[in-house]
Amino acid sequence: FGLLVWTVIKILSVTVPVILGVAFFVLFERKVIGWMHVRHGPTYIGRIFGIGFIQLQNLAGYAFAVFMIFSLPVCMARDGHVRVEVLSERLSRRYRVWAEGLALMVLLIPLFALTIITYWPNLSYSWAIRERALETGGLPGIFLIKTALPLASLLMIIQGIAAFLRKYEAEYGAPRLPEDPHSPTSSGTG
């Protein structure tokens, strides 16, 4: 019986400090995470500028959403989008130009056109009721923010076409325009 008691005491002398250590570590971790989640900025800024806390929260979220939506066409214009070029880096430049054109016609234009078409009724309703934030005291003008999605989709289509035309021109040269027979520099017999 004495050996059993001694074994239990040894087990408890090891496990109890470990359990207490883990418990205090979890408590400390939760205190730190709770301190990290305290929002210091909008409360103080709201007092300075006279804007309510809810409006500042709305403004931060909506500004980020608009920024992210309009960053897509900018990224496309700068040719900064990500491609998987495992196979295409071994292929000819001419093939890559036509692959980009095919991707434009099959993927980019239909996807963003579908986005515009399916989102249009929601946007029309939002403009009709002059939609505002759901929260009491939230920002008005949500319909303006919702306009960013179809506008960015249209810009993506335009940027996709422009990117293809730039690559086409780099590969094949600028397309020749027909000369005006009535211009003074033409070689015609006008």
Side-chain angles (χ1 to χ4, degrees):
F1 181 71
L3 184 60
L4 180 64
V5 172
W6 179 246
T7 307
V8 170
I9 289 173
K10 286 192 323 187
I11 291 172
L12 289 177
S13 68
V14 172
T15 57
V16 168
V18 170
I19 291 172
L20 287 174
V22 169
F24 279 112
F25 180 74
V26 168
L27 178 68
F28 175 73
E29 178 188 32
R30 289 185 183 208
K31 292 286 185 185
V32 169
I33 290 174
W35 176 77
M36 288 169 41
H37 286 150
V38 172
R39 298 178 61 106
H40 296 288
T43 310
Y44 300 119
I45 294 172
R47 291 183 196 149
I48 294 170
F49 293 113
I51 301 173
F53 182 69
I54 294 174
Q55 289 177 336
L56 284 174
Q57 282 182 320
N58 287 344
L59 182 64
Y62 299 148
F64 180 74
V66 169
F67 171 75
M68 288 305 295
I69 288 172
F70 282 119
S71 66
L72 292 173
V74 172
C75 182
M76 185 74 163
R78 293 183 177 189
D79 200 24
H81 57 285
V82 177
R83 291 187 205 94
V84 180
E85 299 198 11
V86 174
L87 297 175
S88 66
E89 64 186 14
R90 297 181 190 154
L91 301 171
S92 71
R93 193 170 177 195
R94 182 169 287 185
Y95 173 81
R96 283 185 280 177
V97 168
W98 288 106
E100 291 258 347
L102 182 67
L104 174 76
M105 297 303 290
V106 173
L107 298 173
L108 190 133
I109 291 176
L111 174 73
F112 287 104
L114 184 65
T115 302
I116 294 170
I117 292 167
T118 57
Y119 192 69
W120 197 259
N122 186 11
L123 181 65
S124 299
Y125 179 72
S126 181
W127 271 86
I129 65 170
R130 301 291 191 255
E131 187 175 3
R132 58 180 299 124
L134 294 175
E135 298 89 4
T136 304
L139 285 179
I142 301 302
F143 58 96
L144 295 172
I145 295 165
K146 286 187 171 185
T147 305
L149 183 63
L151 185 60
S153 297
L154 179 65
L155 289 174
M156 277 299 290
I157 292 171
I158 293 169
Q159 286 298 336
I161 293 169
F164 173 72
L165 291 177
R166 278 193 304 270
K167 290 179 182 179
Y168 183 86
E169 183 179 0
E171 179 63 29
Y172 295 105
R176 293 182 166 244
L177 298 175
E179 290 187 28
D180 184 14
H182 302 293
S183 70
T185 59
S186 72
S187 61
T189 59

